[in-house]
Amino acid sequence: MTSDPEESVRLQGYGEMTLRTAIATLMAVPARDRADAAVFRVRDESRLAPREIAELASDWGIAQAADIKLPDRHWPDIVRGMVREAPLPALMVAFLMGVLVARR
């Protein structure tokens, strides 16, 4: 069944929106939270199956949150970059960030 991306749906916990926005929102949350969410069509209150949501996301080119790779940046590199050409207040922030990171 083909679905209109502009169809009005209700995403549990988020409210009413278009189908494309609901699927993009679902794909942005972690997989463990995605399993509990539900998408209901406004016109007939039918619930979309997780398989149908995954197919629509694939058809529309919406990537899952787990598929998105973030650049591998480490805190020492971030702090070092802040310190290089930073004024004193920025150096104090960098020091405090280092202390917070070291405690975790």
Side-chain angles (χ1 to χ4, degrees):
M1 176 180 172
T2 60
S3 293
D4 177 25
E6 299 302 316
E7 178 182 359
S8 188
V9 296
R10 188 171 31 87
L11 178 57
Q12 178 182 350
Y14 292 91
E16 197 169 310
M17 58 188 72
T18 64
L19 181 58
R20 181 183 296 275
T21 304
I23 291 179
T25 303
L26 271 179
M27 293 298 124
V29 299
R32 66 180 178 276
D33 298 333
R34 194 178 316 139
D36 297 332
V39 178
F40 297 95
R41 296 182 192 273
V42 171
R43 66 175 182 224
D44 58 2
E45 289 299 319
S46 63
R47 181 178 178 168
L48 272 72
R51 178 182 40 78
E52 184 178 1
I53 292 170
E55 287 175 8
L56 288 172
S58 175
D59 292 345
W60 294 338
I62 302 172
Q64 296 181 8
D67 295 344
I68 298 171
K69 295 278 187 180
L70 297 175
D72 190 23
R73 296 203 54 192
H74 299 286
W75 280 107
D77 297 333
I78 294 170
V79 172
R80 196 174 300 119
M82 289 174 65
V83 170
R84 233 175 244 133
E85 295 179 18
L88 184 59
L91 290 174
M92 291 174 20
V93 169
F95 173 75
L96 292 174
M97 290 291 295
V99 169
L100 287 174
V101 170
R103 287 188 170 204
R104 288 182 177 227

